[in-house]
Amino acid sequence: MNKEKKNELLAALASHSEAQLNDHFKRFIDDPKTINVNQLLMKKHLSILEKLRKHSETLALQLNLPTKDDVARVANLTKQLEEKLDKIEEQLHQLNENVEKASQDKVDRTKYASIQ
């Protein structure tokens, strides 16, 4: 048997094996038992994550450390504060423009009055 024949035979065997494995995986994934087991495991995993979150919050409180929710609240407050500061800056800028305009109008009226 020459090398080309061996390669063709090996390729055919690999292709056939891949097809069999794919069929096996499809049947396994579509099996109701597998689906039920996965659902149970996901529920257990979610339960463990919830317990872990509660314990980490309790530990953070005992160690006087900020929790994830605390950090989120501070970030939200910071964003609100930045928005308020931007609004105040805008109002201050507008006020400065109005004062400058009023001053200029007063100067113009004074010049006009002195000309007459």
Side-chain angles (χ1 to χ4, degrees):
M1 196 183 269
N2 65 14
K3 194 172 184 177
E4 283 184 21
K5 289 280 186 185
K6 286 181 182 179
N7 285 340
E8 287 177 14
L9 183 61
L10 186 59
L13 181 62
S15 177
H16 180 70
S17 297
E18 182 182 8
Q20 283 183 332
L21 279 173
N22 283 336
D23 288 342
H24 176 71
F25 285 135
K26 286 178 187 176
R27 277 182 277 138
F28 178 74
I29 290 172
D30 291 338
D31 184 22
K33 286 181 183 179
T34 303
I35 293 170
N36 289 336
V37 168
N38 282 332
Q39 286 176 341
L40 289 173
L41 290 174
M42 291 296 286
K43 287 178 183 176
K44 184 68 175 173
H45 181 70
L46 182 62
S47 171
I48 290 170
L49 285 177
E50 276 296 314
K51 288 178 183 176
L52 181 60
R53 186 186 62 78
K54 288 178 183 177
H55 289 305
S56 67
E57 285 180 6
T58 302
L59 182 62
L61 287 173
Q62 290 175 351
L63 296 175
N64 199 23
L65 297 171
T67 63
K68 184 178 179 181
D69 291 337
D70 292 336
V71 172
R73 271 189 240 108
V74 169
N76 191 30
L77 288 172
T78 302
K79 182 180 175 186
Q80 291 174 357
L81 183 61
E82 286 176 352
E83 290 171 356
K84 287 179 183 179
L85 281 173
D86 288 343
K87 195 173 189 178
I88 289 171
E89 284 178 349
E90 186 178 315
Q91 290 172 346
L92 185 59
H93 181 69
Q94 188 69 27
L95 182 62
N96 281 336
E97 285 180 356
N98 290 342
V99 167
E100 287 176 8
K101 185 177 179 184
S103 295
Q104 187 64 38
D105 288 346
K106 188 176 180 183
V107 168
D108 290 345
R109 276 186 267 135
T110 306
K111 285 182 182 179
Y112 181 75
S114 67
I115 294 173
Q116 292 180 352

